[in-house]
Amino acid sequence: MSIRNRAVFLILWSMFFFVAGTNAWALEVSEAVITTDIIDRSPVDAIESYSADVGKIYCFTRIEGALEEETSVSHVWYYEDKEMARITLPVRSAYWRTWSSKNILPAWTGDWRVEILNEDGDLIKSISFNLF
């Protein structure tokens, strides 16, 4: 291998480890649903529209690709574009399931969304739903 080819190889190899070491880049949401309950660490349903008298709803996420032993994601709950809750959740392996919940008042009808952020605060997924 020529000196030039070795130099290119070392540069590319170094770039691989730099990118692989950036945990926020590696995180991916492979599943995300709003659900009325979690049983055995799994969502019981996936809702897009539901009655506001539900009492409590959950945001379930399946996270893949964490390269460090522990990182985190945040679920940011919005009602009509107003932040209602921000929950930071640990991610402790490359394949991790986690969820947050939000108590809902019957008067909170309208458009909702949950933004899922990586540890650096970058948006990695958004889920919209409506309560009526």
Side-chain angles (χ1 to χ4, degrees):
M1 183 182 291
S2 73
I3 292 176
R4 180 178 176 203
N5 286 346
R6 284 185 195 169
V8 169
F9 175 78
L10 288 174
I11 290 169
L12 291 175
W13 188 253
S14 298
M15 288 173 58
F16 169 78
F17 279 106
F18 175 76
V19 170
T22 307
N23 193 44
W25 172 82
L27 288 184
E28 178 181 312
V29 177
S30 61
E31 180 182 8
V33 297
I34 303 301
T35 182
T36 57
D37 204 1
I38 305 282
I39 296 178
D40 294 328
R41 294 180 295 194
S42 295
V44 298
D45 53 13
I47 63 171
E48 293 179 14
S49 186
Y50 208 81
S51 173
D53 65 4
V54 66
K56 181 187 275 191
I57 55 176
Y58 301 82
C59 177
F60 172 88
T61 54
R62 185 180 310 268
I63 307 292
E64 296 184 11
L67 299 175
E68 296 175 4
E69 286 186 23
E70 184 171 333
T71 186
S72 65
V73 294
S74 295
H75 287 177
V76 185
W77 293 76
Y78 290 92
Y79 169 54
E80 301 291 344
D81 292 325
K82 178 184 176 195
E83 184 175 323
M84 301 296 283
R86 182 177 294 254
I87 301 101
T88 300
L89 304 160
V91 176
R92 295 188 175 120
S93 73
Y95 300 96
W96 192 257
R97 294 175 290 183
T98 191
W99 59 89
S100 66
S101 64
K102 179 75 183 104
N103 291 323
I104 303 294
L105 297 178
W108 289 347
T109 60
D111 294 327
W112 285 80
R113 77 178 181 280
V114 178
E115 292 185 352
I116 303 162
L117 311 177
N118 65 21
E119 193 170 54
D120 294 332
D122 299 322
L123 179 68
I124 54 177
K125 182 78 173 180
S126 182
I127 310 167
S128 296
F129 60 101
N130 181 274
L131 296 178
F132 56 88

